[in-house]
Amino acid sequence: MSIAPSLGRQPQRSLWVVPVSTGLSISMLLLALGLSFVFVIQPLSLLDVSGEDGFVNQLVFIQTRYWDLPFDPFTLSNVHFFRWLVFFPMANNSENPFFLTDHVIYIFLVAPLVYFLTARGFWIVGLIFLVLPYGVSLRACLVCAGMTYLTCALMLRPNAFFLLFGGFLAVLSSASVLQALLMLLAFRSRSQIAAKLTLGVFLAYCLLVSLQDKIAGVVSGLAGYVSSSSSSNVVANYLERSTLLVSYAEGQSRFYFYLVVAIVLAVLLVWNLFRQTAAARLRRRVLFCAAPGLALEGLGVLSMVAVLVLISLPNFRRYIKA
């Protein structure tokens, strides 16, 4: 589907839309601002180095023991290996070949996305990626950037790099893997077929291996896989362990953040259900793809924050190419 102005008239310029040169200037200013913050405000690190974070333990296991394991194509260690590949350039240790802080590398990773967004008037979305590291971990930022890269490639401008790189970043969270796969299924244009097929196979593999591991963990009753009710129903078990419910049960302050996102998601969905414009139909598809993340885990929520802002902006419909 393509939404474009007729050849007979030029669209009225929106205050949100800026020339590419101005967009480049804005993006460079924002990047400079982000880099300057490195020396003034300490952003949150990529990982929780206390040793209590399960993601950290996964990466440490891959770095120290992965190559000693017998090869098994359907082991979860392979998915963790892909996550480790994303993490490795940001590792602040003696094995880091780049000699840069994790935040500086993160800025370079999101620079193409920030430029793409600001050059089209979506400067508020570009700004999100430069301030987000000061409120959440860089892992969450990378997942959010990955889903936004993917959305831009599918809906705004066919781009194999954005598509594949976004999908690769999405592997950092099981919920975002599911969301990315749903996005590929929801937007099946004939552009970039080879890249979409490659990414689809990769995401489906990661999802199936993770699902197989989770089912085995729930059935076996292993620690970290079961909810407080110890339900043997896999779906019910994971719904009970969702970040929204867990944060409420434990009285965590982040519950209110997730609740606000849930309310915004519901309002946007209902609002677009009763509209029949092409932009509204595309928004509905995005919202349905985002919904599973809310039920599964926190990163599933955070990964779609920038995307939800993007599809809600007034000039979003001017650039839709999906």
Side-chain angles (χ1 to χ4, degrees):
M1 182 185 305
S2 177
I3 298 178
S6 61
L7 297 178
R9 63 176 186 175
Q10 295 297 324
Q12 183 178 0
R13 181 173 298 276
S14 167
L15 292 177
W16 289 89
V17 182
V18 295
V20 172
S21 58
T22 305
L24 177 60
S25 300
I26 294 175
S27 62
M28 293 303 102
L29 287 173
L30 294 177
L31 288 175
L33 179 64
L35 287 171
S36 67
F37 278 171
V38 175
F39 305 100
V40 180
I41 308 173
Q42 180 62 42
L44 298 182
S45 64
L46 175 68
L47 304 169
D48 175 9
V49 295
S50 65
E52 299 177 358
D53 188 285
F55 182 72
V56 175
N57 295 333
Q58 293 170 5
L59 298 182
V60 170
F61 176 84
I62 294 302
Q63 185 161 327
T64 58
R65 297 187 56 190
Y66 180 74
W67 301 110
D68 298 328
L69 298 175
F71 178 72
D72 181 353
F74 297 104
T75 180
L76 190 62
S77 297
N78 295 330
V79 178
H80 293 163
F81 174 72
F82 295 131
R83 294 174 174 176
W84 178 82
L85 288 178
V86 178
F87 152 78
F88 180 69
M90 301 186 184
N92 289 322
N93 55 42
S94 59
E95 297 184 18
N96 182 358
F98 299 99
F99 304 104
L100 295 172
T101 68
D102 51 5
H103 185 68
V104 171
I105 295 178
Y106 164 78
I107 291 294
F108 284 114
L109 291 179
V110 300
L113 181 61
V114 172
Y115 167 69
F116 178 88
L117 293 167
T118 56
R120 286 157 180 79
F122 304 120
W123 58 268
I124 189 67
V125 185
L127 184 61
I128 288 175
F129 294 105
L130 299 180
V131 300
L132 204 59
Y134 303 95
V136 298
S137 70
L138 280 181
R139 179 193 175 194
C141 295
L142 289 172
V143 174
C144 185
M147 291 305 302
T148 311
Y149 267 118
L150 189 70
T151 300
C152 290
L154 292 175
M155 301 184 66
L156 300 179
R157 180 183 178 186
N159 186 301
F161 169 75
F162 274 31
L163 186 75
L164 296 174
F165 188 59
F168 190 59
L169 293 180
V171 79
L172 289 172
S173 163
S174 296
S176 60
V177 168
L178 174 59
Q179 291 168 326
L181 191 56
L182 291 175
M183 289 284 287
L184 283 179
L185 295 174
F187 297 92
R188 294 171 295 182
S189 65
R190 295 185 178 181
S191 62
Q192 305 293 335
I193 294 178
K196 289 179 180 178
L197 182 60
T198 300
L199 181 59
V201 171
F202 171 70
L203 293 174
Y205 167 77
C206 292
L207 182 64
L208 290 175
V209 171
S210 299
L211 184 61
Q212 171 187 274
D213 178 78
K214 293 179 188 301
I215 292 175
V218 171
V219 172
S220 303
L222 299 178
Y225 288 85
V226 296
S227 63
S228 57
S229 64
S230 299
S231 172
S232 59
N233 184 298
V234 176
V235 176
N237 188 286
Y238 272 88
L239 288 177
E240 290 178 22
R241 295 174 63 245
S242 71
T243 302
L244 185 64
L245 294 181
V246 171
S247 59
Y248 172 76
E250 297 181 357
Q252 300 173 356
S253 58
R254 63 177 178 170
F255 163 75
Y256 299 101
F257 170 78
Y258 294 130
L259 181 62
V260 169
V261 174
I263 293 173
V264 171
L265 180 64
V267 170
L268 286 175
L269 184 57
V270 172
W271 173 257
N272 286 281
L273 279 176
F274 297 98
R275 305 185 69 188
Q276 297 305 318
T277 64
R281 289 193 291 270
L282 291 178
R283 287 185 179 115
R284 283 200 296 270
R285 280 190 268 174
V286 175
L287 293 167
F288 280 120
C289 293
L294 186 65
L296 293 175
E297 59 178 70
L299 284 182
V301 177
L302 292 172
S303 67
M304 298 300 288
V305 168
V307 174
L308 293 177
V309 173
L310 175 63
I311 67 174
S312 302
L313 294 177
N315 65 322
F316 169 78
R317 64 184 181 275
R318 293 180 179 271
Y319 292 98
I320 297 173
K321 301 298 181 185

